[in-house]
Amino acid sequence: MSGYKSVNPATNQLLKQFPDHQDEAVEAALAQADRLYHSAWSKGEIQPRLQVLEKLADLIESRVEALAVIASQEMGKLIGQSRGEVKICAQIARYYARQAAQQLQPQPYASELGDAWIEYHPIGVIVAVEPWNFPYYQLMRVLAPNLALGNPVLAKHANNVPQCAEAFAQLVEEAGAPAGAWTNLFISNQQVADLIADDRVQGVALTGSERAGSAVAQQAGKYLKKSTLELGGNDVFMVMDDADIREAVRQGAQARLSNCGQVCTAAKRFILHQDIAAPFLQQLRDAFAAVTPGDPLDEKTTLGPLSSAEAHERLIKQVNNAIAHGATVECGGKAIAGVGCYFQPTILTGITRDNPAWFEEFFGPVAQVYVVASEAEAVALANDSHYGLGGSVWTQDIARGRRLASQIETGMVFINSQSDTAAELPFGGVKRSGYGRELSDLGIKEFANQKLVVIS
Ligand code: NDP
């Protein structure tokens, strides 16, 4: 039985199964990627690599619908949101196609030792371990900068999105990338560990849970390989007493329910100033009650299923546990009866610090709501978290927004909007949300040899 299975979480129907790659196939893929690294493709002019990215962007734009349908069927994302994900992949490919040459220009350094500069070189084969929640975008965040730089990538996708993994690899090949530039592997965690240990591999990029991040980072540390980790988040959505409540509720509901709540930077902890807490909570409840659960391929559906039966089970247990420890259910709180991995949009209040939910990330449509009396209390609560990924602050006083943003211990903060992502903006966190940055000029330098050259 293969570990890689495509199952529609809206119907629990098995769509397709894929055989695992055996060790011989993994060795052949690694050898091929390593040969590519030592060839003119990786070490030579950047232009041929950028042309592939430009072509890839065109191809993706011409296939938005087909790619979106695969993702929606395989992991339950609403079709409109799947189209959005596919389009942003094209934007990332095009961004690096157009910006990488400039970003990788040598950087001069003033020094008394002589003429000095940093130049950027690829470092070798990189392993990418990626999750199912954005089954194309997560791959593109690693592929585009590394292809531009010249690092070949061996990719291990999550075992519930093999069709997306294959479709992505085919697109890269069709765009003209040589064999080895991006290789999709259906492999086990042990095979990932073996790859990281291999001398031909120079780094590993992982997006996923703390558990996966810790296991992969341990292995990378043992073999002294560079790693980047983009892990979970427990982002705050902080609404001050002078905020535009209507807009905050509108975006807050979206930020919690989009992708059925399975977003690392989703609004998970709503911190409300006491002066607006009651109307905000009432309006959020109304917004949650207004969703239409259903088939993710139906344009009228506004809440899809969770990505898998395992994710569904995990969320049910987590919510029950939060309630058992004293949380109050303002709305929802249960799985939606019937076929498929659906869960009611849920709001929990009354979560105390001794409730495990206080520190947990709910990867589903479950909002935690806290009420505070002051800015200082809001910041202290925001920072009482193991995570530090993103966050959102709502106030009409921009100076106040900047002050709050600067005090929140996360890698990203948005003022008067929900968290978002764009090719040109760095993405990543602090604390247990991981380290390193993806996208932007910072992302392309993570796996570069930033080589100093000095002429005295
Ligand atoms: P995982 O972290 O288990 O999966 C992410 C990827 O890591 C998958 O490709 C998975 O492979 C792989 N992986 C897991 N363990 C290892 C390991 N020891 N060595 C190598 N690769 C490994 O996420 P889950 O799907 O289990 O989700 C659990 C929780 O993780 C969520 O509830 C959420 O809190 C968090 N999460 C956060 C994401 C984010 O965007 N930051 C994305 C996804 C999850 P395989 O599928 O084969 O197990």
Side-chain angles (χ1 to χ4, degrees):
M1 263 305 240
S2 158
Y4 285 82
K5 261 193 239 170
S6 187
V7 176
N8 184 340
T11 61
N12 293 334
Q13 273 181 337
L14 177 66
L15 302 172
K16 207 168 171 186
Q17 248 174 312
F18 292 78
D20 295 347
H21 284 103
Q22 301 304 309
D23 289 347
E24 303 70 48
V26 178
E27 167 53 32
L30 174 55
Q32 185 175 54
D34 187 55
R35 273 196 304 278
L36 189 67
Y37 169 63
H38 288 99
S39 75
W41 163 261
S42 283
K43 310 261 171 159
E45 287 298 308
I46 193 171
Q47 282 313 323
R49 303 194 296 272
L50 301 188
Q51 280 161 14
V52 169
L53 283 176
E54 202 59 72
K55 177 80 196 297
L56 181 59
D58 293 342
L59 275 176
I60 292 172
E61 277 169 355
S62 71
R63 305 218 183 128
V64 172
E65 198 58 26
L67 290 164
V69 168
I70 298 172
S72 289
Q73 285 179 337
E74 196 165 53
M75 51 69 66
K77 195 186 300 270
L78 297 183
I79 186 69
Q81 291 173 15
S82 292
R83 290 185 194 116
E85 178 181 342
V86 173
K87 286 179 194 160
I88 194 172
C89 289
Q91 287 165 12
I92 295 169
R94 212 175 294 290
Y95 168 79
Y96 282 111
R98 309 249 166 113
Q99 301 300 325
Q102 176 60 32
Q103 290 166 342
L104 299 177
Q105 282 292 311
Q107 293 288 316
Y109 275 69
S111 168
E112 60 188 26
L113 295 186
D115 240 0
W117 66 92
I118 289 283
E119 51 189 42
Y120 300 97
H121 298 279
I123 57 171
V125 179
I126 304 300
V127 171
V129 180
E130 300 300 325
W132 40 264
N133 60 342
F134 290 90
Y136 301 120
Y137 160 81
Q138 305 279 17
L139 304 186
M140 185 58 87
R141 290 202 311 196
V142 179
L143 169 82
N146 283 296
L147 193 124
L149 182 60
N151 289 327
V153 182
L154 300 176
K156 181 240 175 290
H157 214 334
N159 62 18
N160 59 331
V161 285
Q163 296 201 72
C164 291
E166 281 217 321
F168 188 88
Q170 278 162 15
L171 280 168
V172 178
E173 188 184 339
E174 232 182 290
W182 176 268
T183 311
N184 171 54
L185 293 173
F186 292 138
I187 54 177
S188 66
N189 296 347
Q190 185 54 49
Q191 287 170 307
V192 170
D194 294 344
L195 278 174
I196 295 169
D198 194 289
D199 279 345
R200 290 164 290 182
V201 167
Q202 292 304 322
V204 55
L206 177 139
T207 296
S209 62
E210 261 180 270
R211 185 182 46 83
S214 172
V216 161
Q218 265 187 59
Q219 184 73 348
K222 182 170 176 192
Y223 290 94
L224 304 174
K225 305 292 169 72
K226 168 82 191 249
S227 59
T228 59
L229 300 180
E230 202 272 273
L231 309 177
N234 211 359
D235 290 5
V236 292
F237 192 92
M238 192 185 277
V239 188
M240 288 293 112
D241 46 337
D242 62 348
D244 175 346
I245 302 293
R246 259 178 72 130
E247 185 57 15
V249 169
R250 194 184 68 77
Q251 290 202 33
Q254 266 177 15
R256 183 58 289 208
L257 300 182
S258 177
N259 207 24
C260 199
Q262 303 163 113
V263 182
C264 46
T265 52
K268 294 184 184 127
R269 294 182 294 150
F270 288 77
I271 298 182
L272 310 179
H273 192 282
Q274 61 185 13
D275 292 354
I276 50 82
F280 187 96
L281 186 56
Q282 182 54 50
Q283 289 176 43
L284 191 68
R285 227 188 263 120
D286 294 345
F288 276 22
V291 302
T292 310
D295 179 356
L297 291 175
D298 183 338
E299 307 278 353
K300 292 193 291 298
T301 301
T302 56
L303 185 78
L306 289 152
S307 62
S308 65
E310 294 74 39
H312 196 220
E313 274 304 306
R314 190 162 47 224
L315 189 68
I316 293 168
K317 273 201 196 123
Q318 227 182 342
V319 170
N320 286 341
N321 197 34
I323 297 166
H325 284 83
T328 303
V329 180
E330 297 287 337
C331 66
K334 292 195 172 65
I336 296 176
V339 179
C341 304
Y342 293 88
F343 197 87
Q344 296 171 340
T346 298
I347 300 177
L348 299 177
T349 55
I351 296 168
T352 48
R353 200 166 187 278
D354 56 353
N355 189 328
W358 181 279
F359 289 110
E360 283 176 2
E361 174 184 33
F362 283 78
F363 224 53
V366 179
Q368 304 188 12
V369 172
Y370 300 88
V371 179
V372 293
S374 66
E375 265 182 38
E377 206 186 320
V379 170
L381 181 52
N383 292 340
D384 190 18
S385 171
H386 303 310
Y387 293 109
L389 192 55
S392 170
V393 173
W394 290 77
T395 167
Q396 298 197 51
D397 175 350
I398 295 303
R400 188 183 192 190
R402 292 168 80 126
R403 190 166 66 236
L404 286 164
S406 73
Q407 294 176 78
I408 296 176
E409 296 167 354
T410 60
M412 303 171 276
V413 183
F414 287 75
I415 300 172
N416 291 334
S417 96
Q418 57 188 304
S419 287
D420 206 346
T421 181
E424 66 277 13
L425 295 178
F427 192 105
V430 296
K431 297 163 113 177
R432 287 194 210 162
S433 293
Y435 48 78
R437 292 293 179 268
E438 292 189 318
L439 302 175
S440 79
D441 58 323
L442 300 187
I444 200 170
K445 292 175 185 166
E446 288 286 355
F447 293 105
N449 175 6
Q450 305 188 27
K451 184 194 287 181
L452 172 68
V453 183
V454 182
I455 307 176
S456 53

